[in-house]
Amino acid sequence: MARHLITSAIPYINGIKHLGNLVGSQLPADLYARYLRARGHEVMFICATDEHGTPAELAAKKAGLPVAEYCAQMHATQARLAEGFGLSFDHYGRSSSPQNHRLTQHFAGRLADAGLIREVTEKQIYSNADGRFLPDRYIEGTCPNCGYDKARGDQCENCTKQLDPTDLIEPRSAISGSTDLEVRETKHLYLRQSALKDQIAEWIDSKTDWPLLTTSIARKWLNDGDGLQDRGITRDLDWGIPVKRGDAEWPGMEGKVFYVWFDAPIEYIAATAEWADATGGDWQRWWRTDKGAEDVTYTQFMGKDNVPFHTLSFPATIMGSGEPWKLVDYIKSFNYLTYDGGQFSTSQGRGVFMDHALEILPADYWRWWLLSHAPESGDSEFTWENFQQSVNKDLADVLGNFVSRITKFCRSKFGETVPEAGEPGAAEAELEAALQARLTAYEQFMDAMEIRKAAGELRAIWVLGNEYLQAAAPWATFKEDEARAAMQVRTGLNLIALYAVISAPFIPFAAKTMREAMDAPGEWPSSAADALRALPPGHGFTVPDNLFTKITDEQRESWAERFKGVRA
């Protein structure tokens, strides 16, 4: 048994997340966590809401609520939706927690002691119309690098280039749209990332097994232009973690808070501390290499826009502290999921959102399509036609139909117990060999986090059952050789028990239905041979309800009209 720490990029608090957010971090992280648990490993799966910064302030203002109250409500909403999608977090924390306040201030103090923080008097954008300094991400304009006209003042989400607000062409306030902006002086703290460039570059170069998407983005930030730049870690805001040097006040930084990009990744650690405080567990054995974390494998999941902060800035915080914190071992990054030719976007209100998705269909329908179309090697596009086709063919026709046919036939001819008669023959030996090959490939792809390939192998395993059932035709065999038909049915019932276990990472709700109907053991099979004999003769079962209902053309057309890309 190995120990695995898994974190998913933490979502902003300002609103319901869309399916692009879901497939870009939380859902594949859940898939991997569920798989590792099923293989017997010890897993700590952590996520949280990212609650600081102007996004939270503005969303709270729009909702007419104090920001703390708004964040508490939205955390509860996001946690409920995560549960609805079957996301199996060990803890779903909050970056506004006391634990994150303490840890963020601790890291700032350690970095300052190491000479890695400097005070800078800088010029920032002030909006006269809004009466406030504008955080980088609340200044919009045209990217000087790629020409994207909705680039933010901290980063262009189109080309991922790191920016400063003054780099933007024709900047405007993202709050009011006003161009009445002026530059004013203010004092802030900067993390001296440049001093750690060589150390970070060496660390990234050692990660030869990382996805090309991850390393290419990291190296681009390290080597483009003047290379890795020092980065401001404080802001002139009311809502956030007060700037302190450990427990001590920081002269000159009164009334300022830490910038959200600095404190948000620290929440991974803080959320584990939240879990420990709630359960009596030991969070340090997951995060401190001097407390047992040296044998932990740490994997992060995120969209490509989050890669720079996780390959450069957060490691700079960890390394710069000089303390024995656990660094990430593997970063699984994803491209974008697009929606009918355009981008999903919370800020632009485009695409299907998690709450609406669960209103119209159960979670497994979405989980299967999103994971089997995960944007790993390039962007993927969601279309209603493809969604309908995949659900109807893969889930309803291949898996659901198989379960329904074999259980109902057995009930009608042998009752609701596994038949005893008959011995496997050549066809069953052929099935076992094919099943073993597919099962081995499936495990290899899951171990490597190659999600689309793993989904393909899982579907192929379902298809094997259908092909066997179609060729064996126990309904015809029964008329001539009842014992042989009993053996064929017993083989089919054991396939359902196998599907219940190995499908659970992808479709946990349907898998639970199958497992309970079969009263099957939940252990991962050691071999195809063992799987085909897991349910002994005489073992009782029940016929489950229809696992999946097909999506009709009328439903598809209705949903396509409802979700044209503007959130109601």
Side-chain angles (χ1 to χ4, degrees), residues 258-409:
F258 286 107
Y259 191 18
V260 64
W261 77 257
F262 181 70
D263 82 76
I266 296 171
E267 169 59 15
Y268 295 137
I269 307 174
T272 317
E274 295 169 42
W275 161 84
D277 288 344
T279 64
D282 180 4
W283 66 269
Q284 295 194 65
R285 67 187 290 265
W286 294 100
W287 284 104
R288 298 273 303 201
T289 57
D290 60 339
K291 302 289 186 180
E294 68 278 355
D295 63 347
V296 169
T297 299
Y298 178 20
T299 306
Q300 295 175 346
F301 288 80
M302 69 197 65
K304 62 183 177 183
D305 54 331
N306 273 316
V307 167
F309 297 106
H310 290 77
T311 55
L312 306 172
S313 298
F314 186 39
T317 298
I318 295 293
M319 294 176 183
S321 74
E323 295 179 318
W325 297 100
K326 176 66 183 176
L327 281 162
V328 64
D329 294 296
Y330 191 86
I331 296 180
K332 176 69 174 180
S333 57
F334 294 87
N335 291 282
Y336 293 135
L337 177 71
T338 61
Y339 179 80
D340 277 340
Q343 284 191 346
F344 279 83
S345 172
T346 301
S347 60
Q348 301 300 317
R350 177 176 174 79
V352 183
F353 290 69
M354 290 172 67
D355 55 346
H356 287 167
L358 291 179
E359 284 176 13
I360 63 175
L361 285 171
D364 281 346
Y365 291 66
W366 301 105
R367 287 180 64 107
W368 173 252
W369 190 91
L370 290 168
L371 290 168
S372 62
H373 293 77
E376 292 175 294
S377 59
D379 291 350
S380 297
E381 182 178 18
F382 178 92
T383 68
W384 287 102
E385 291 79 7
N386 185 280
F387 179 66
Q388 178 192 28
Q389 181 183 19
S390 294
V391 165
N392 290 356
K393 188 174 182 181
D394 298 348
L395 298 181
D397 285 346
V398 177
L399 178 59
N401 187 51
F402 174 82
V403 172
S404 179
R405 290 173 75 190
I406 198 70
T407 55
K408 289 179 179 178
F409 178 74

Side-chain angles (χ1 to χ4, degrees), residues 66-128:
V67 64
E69 184 178 340
Y70 171 81
C71 287
Q73 288 187 11
M74 282 307 304
H75 176 270
T77 297
Q78 291 197 20
R80 174 179 53 80
L81 290 171
E83 183 179 4
F85 271 95
L87 303 180
S88 59
F89 303 125
D90 288 287
H91 188 75
Y92 191 58
R94 302 182 60 185
S95 69
S96 61
S97 69
Q99 292 87 343
N100 198 37
H101 277 235
R102 289 193 296 269
L103 275 167
T104 298
Q105 292 163 347
H106 168 81
F107 274 109
R110 292 289 304 185
L111 291 165
D113 292 343
L116 292 171
I117 289 181
R118 62 186 176 95
E119 292 188 8
V120 176
T121 299
E122 62 180 11
K123 295 179 178 180
Q124 286 192 0
I125 304 296
Y126 187 89
S127 170
N128 289 302

Side-chain angles (χ1 to χ4, degrees), residues 519-536:
D519 191 21
E523 292 80 16
W524 196 270
S526 58
S527 67
D530 288 344
L532 291 175
R533 295 161 181 79
L535 302 181

Side-chain angles (χ1 to χ4, degrees), residues 189-264:
L189 302 179
Y190 270 58
L191 175 59
R192 296 182 56 230
Q193 296 183 145
S194 59
L196 296 162
K197 178 184 176 181
D198 292 344
Q199 187 177 351
I200 292 174
E202 182 180 357
W203 174 68
I204 291 172
D205 287 343
S206 71
K207 304 301 182 181
T208 56
D209 61 333
W210 281 13
L212 179 61
L213 178 64
T214 302
T215 54
S216 62
I217 292 174
R219 291 192 174 105
K220 181 179 179 181
W221 276 51
L222 275 170
N223 301 318
D224 271 11
D226 295 326
L228 186 61
Q229 299 293 298
D230 296 347
R231 193 71 169 153
I233 63 169
T234 58
R235 284 294 181 269
D236 292 298
L237 295 173
D238 296 325
W239 174 248
I241 298 176
V243 177
K244 289 187 177 182
R245 187 169 178 157
D247 294 330
E249 298 298 325
W250 205 310
M253 292 293 119
E254 296 82 3
K256 299 180 188 291
V257 300
F258 286 107
Y259 191 18
V260 64
W261 77 257
F262 181 70
D263 82 76

Side-chain angles (χ1 to χ4, degrees), residues 36-54:
L36 291 175
R37 292 191 193 107
R39 299 305 304 272
H41 300 303
E42 185 182 3
V43 172
M44 177 60 64
F45 180 24
I46 292 294
C47 193
T49 41
D50 186 356
E51 300 187 9
H52 291 138
T54 302

